[in-house]
Amino acid sequence: MHSTTRAGSTDLTARARIRDAAVRRFAMDGMSAPLRAVAADAGVSAGLILHHFGSRTGLREACDEHVLAQIRQDKASVLGTPGNTGALLAQLARIEGYAPFVGYVLRCLQAGGAVSAQFIDHIVADAVGYLHDAEEAGTVRPSRYPEARARVLAEQSLGALLLQLPAQQDHLDLDELPVWLAAYSERIIPPLLEMYTEPLLTDSTLLDSYLAARPAGAPAGASGPAAATDGSRAD
């Protein structure tokens, strides 16, 4: 029993090491980076990658899951508790450690196609969840259109990141990326927090007028091909 437990622990450690190496390698060289490079980074054979993940697709899915979990955890820690400024400051202090995750997200967006669209859908679904939890905690205002709001916020965030495109080059230097991240964060966080906490518009006239003019039966907060069945709260 003891040897079986140790073997299982070793397998989990090897799997995590391969996954972390893949996140970094895909961030540096793109989603088409060869598995032999990932294996070399992790100090294992390419065969062991296939043993643990079955295929490149399986490895990519594990990387997606890991990166999405980190994003979800960080967002929830900032929004989940009223007055929790410490979580945001702590994340800014650890910005160097986020380079592989940011690089990975950039490469996912660059890759395009169905896999990239699915990754974005997962980000939106996670955002719906942690924004709902933040509403329950009293740190975020409820929305008429929770799913549509989550998608807009995610698309704006990802689009702004992609526009900067520090990953335009074939190889992304993860040692230099934290410097870029620090400068980027310093530029966008103050105006974003201002807009989120002190709304840009001084009253609700535009929203009230728009809602009053909408055709009867129009889907609330419509977004994407599934808009007609959007289950968001209507007025």
Side-chain angles (χ1 to χ4, degrees):
M1 177 67 71
H2 180 70
S3 60
T4 301
T5 301
R6 181 178 297 175
S9 176
T10 300
D11 283 348
L12 289 174
T13 301
R15 181 181 172 88
R17 188 168 73 249
I18 293 168
R19 179 205 64 205
D20 292 348
V23 168
R24 291 185 61 86
R25 179 54 59 182
F26 290 148
M28 288 189 290
D29 295 336
M31 294 305 171
S32 60
L35 292 187
R36 63 178 180 275
V38 174
D41 292 344
V44 301
S45 67
L48 193 61
I49 294 179
L50 297 179
H51 167 74
H52 281 292
F53 299 96
S55 64
R56 171 185 286 273
T57 298
L59 177 60
R60 167 75 187 270
E61 289 173 351
C63 291
D64 282 2
E65 182 179 343
H66 181 56
V67 172
L68 288 166
Q70 183 67 52
I71 294 172
R72 185 167 58 247
Q73 175 184 315
D74 291 341
K75 295 290 188 180
S77 68
V78 171
L79 295 175
T81 306
N84 185 17
T85 58
L88 174 61
L89 298 178
Q91 288 178 27
L92 291 175
R94 299 195 311 271
I95 201 164
E96 194 169 308
Y98 294 118
F101 299 105
V102 173
Y104 186 88
V105 171
L106 281 168
R107 293 304 195 185
C108 283
L109 297 175
Q110 283 184 311
V115 176
S116 177
Q118 185 178 43
F119 184 78
I120 295 171
D121 286 343
H122 282 308
I123 289 180
V124 172
D126 285 345
V128 171
Y130 60 69
L131 286 170
H132 174 267
D133 291 343
E135 288 181 15
E136 295 291 315
T139 60
V140 168
R141 296 180 187 277
S143 173
R144 295 174 179 80
Y145 323 114
E147 293 180 13
R149 177 179 67 175
R151 181 166 293 277
V152 167
L153 289 173
E155 289 177 349
Q156 286 180 337
S157 176
L158 295 173
L161 189 63
L162 189 59
L163 277 174
Q164 307 308 310
L165 218 58
Q168 277 184 335
Q169 60 269 36
D170 291 336
H171 179 79
L172 179 63
D173 190 333
L174 295 186
D175 292 329
E176 294 181 358
L177 188 58
V179 176
W180 178 86
L181 274 176
Y184 179 68
S185 298
E186 178 60 29
R187 180 162 62 83
I188 69 166
I189 288 178
L192 279 177
L193 289 179
E194 181 185 67
M195 284 191 291
Y196 291 156
T197 57
E198 301 172 358
L200 180 67
L201 301 178
T202 59
D203 61 40
S204 63
T205 301
L206 287 178
L207 175 61
D208 295 340
S209 298
Y210 172 76
L211 293 177
R214 288 171 66 239
S223 64
T229 57
D230 190 326
S232 302
R233 188 180 81 222
D235 289 282

